[in-house]
Amino acid sequence: CVCGALQLGTYLALSIGLISAIVACVQWAHGAINDPYQLYQRVLLCILGFVIASIMAPVLVKRHLIRHWKAESIEIWSIDHFRFWFMKLLFDTSPAHLLAGTPLYNVWLRLLGARIGPHAVILSKAPVTTDLYSVGTGSIIRENALTLGYRARNNLIETGEISIGAEAYVGTGSHLDIETIIEDGGQLAHSSTLQQGQIIAAGKRCHGTPAEETTTDFDTVEPLRCSSLRRWPYGGLLASADLLLASIPIVVLFFSSAVLHSSSEAETLN
């Protein structure tokens, strides 16, 4: 079918482009093999370019290919399915998800159309259907919370809204289906599910599968003041550390290959 052919062509095009970029970067970096400082700079610039391209690609593709996500049913193997699949491929492979829990991740989600309030902490991967995703001010979404923003059923991909109000709490390993709402101050316990159409009213707490109301308080950590002067540098330092540390193994690999190559040439001459 047309969708399958487009997917195959996309994989081939991305593979060829990626391999070509890697080869060009390796050749360029190898030109400074005798200068460790310059070699590290070149490797760092190559990685930085790849990271920036991978972060901005979903933003640019979404604006031109999707424009605005809406609640709908997408027929599998249709052109709309290909658009959804391509956007999801770029979104899921973006290194921006390594910044989850920082203000930088919230900024990236806003660029994709999500409505993220100030001081929200999102420690889990956001849904690809970003226009249908909203998180209120001061809310916390813990690690491994599953918020896909879509589901597959009866040969259809169904997309829907996920709305989380202000000062809300979503526990570790929880699952929010499409068309679910947690109102201001609502809490969903760890390893619990909020199924399609379910709503947690303002100030209420729920747990279980499907979620049922309870009186247990799951957000037991007292809030502390955290200024922007502390929050933003943290995200910047985290991103910089990832970038700088990722360059070191590649530089070591370059030098190791150069040493091995020199050793083999010396043995050949002897």
Side-chain angles (χ1 to χ4, degrees):
C1 65
V2 175
C3 180
L6 288 173
Q7 288 178 330
L8 178 60
T10 300
Y11 274 130
L12 291 174
L14 290 176
S15 299
I16 292 172
L18 183 60
I19 292 172
S20 300
I22 291 175
V23 170
C25 286
V26 168
Q27 291 176 342
W28 181 57
H30 192 270
I33 192 67
N34 296 319
D35 186 344
Y37 180 70
Q38 190 177 9
L39 174 62
Y40 182 77
Q41 282 185 320
R42 292 189 180 189
V43 171
L44 188 63
L45 286 173
C46 288
I47 295 177
L48 181 62
F50 172 77
V51 168
I52 292 175
S54 300
I55 288 175
M56 293 308 299
V59 177
L60 297 175
V61 169
K62 192 252 179 183
R63 290 185 178 181
H64 292 87
L65 193 65
I66 304 296
R67 295 189 179 179
H68 189 84
W69 290 107
K70 58 184 179 180
E72 61 180 340
S73 295
I74 301 171
E75 185 179 353
I76 291 180
W77 303 123
S78 64
I79 296 299
D80 287 339
H81 178 219
F82 169 75
R83 293 164 62 238
F84 171 85
W85 169 85
F86 184 49
M87 182 62 207
K88 186 175 183 299
L89 175 66
L90 296 178
F91 181 84
D92 287 345
T93 55
S94 174
H97 296 294
L98 296 174
L99 299 174
T102 71
L104 295 175
Y105 189 57
N106 295 355
V107 170
W108 185 66
L109 293 177
R110 292 187 188 110
L111 290 174
L112 286 165
R115 301 181 299 279
I116 311 297
H119 308 317
V121 179
I122 304 173
L123 296 167
S124 299
K125 182 185 288 187
V128 63
T129 52
T130 44
D131 294 295
L132 302 174
Y133 184 59
S134 62
V135 179
T137 301
S139 292
I140 299 176
I141 301 177
R142 299 291 302 176
E143 299 87 348
N144 301 319
L146 191 61
T147 54
L148 294 177
Y150 71 93
R151 67 178 184 178
R153 184 174 66 172
N154 297 330
N155 293 323
L156 295 172
I157 301 292
E158 299 176 345
T159 61
E161 185 177 3
I162 296 176
S163 177
I164 300 171
E167 304 297 336
Y169 175 85
V170 177
T172 303
S174 294
H175 175 215
L176 277 70
D177 203 350
I178 59 174
E179 305 299 341
T180 52
I181 299 174
I182 300 178
E183 295 182 348
D184 295 349
Q187 295 183 15
L188 180 65
H190 63 278
S191 303
S192 301
T193 62
L194 204 61
Q195 300 183 6
Q196 185 176 13
Q198 280 193 289
I199 299 175
I200 297 180
K204 299 296 183 180
R205 305 158 186 168
C206 294
H207 68 164
T209 304
E212 297 180 349
E213 189 172 339
T214 182
T215 57
T216 304
D217 185 5
F218 303 104
D219 188 11
T220 56
V221 179
E222 290 294 327
L224 296 176
R225 184 180 179 276
C226 184
S227 65
S228 298
L229 190 60
R230 183 177 182 181
R231 187 180 294 108
W232 283 95
Y234 166 76
L237 288 173
L238 184 65
S240 300
D242 289 340
L243 188 63
L244 294 172
L245 292 176
S247 306
I248 295 176
I250 300 176
V251 173
V252 172
L253 182 63
F254 267 107
F255 272 111
S256 299
S257 63
V259 170
L260 290 174
H261 182 68
S262 300
S263 300
S264 62
E265 284 186 345
E267 290 179 358
T268 302
L269 292 174
N270 292 332

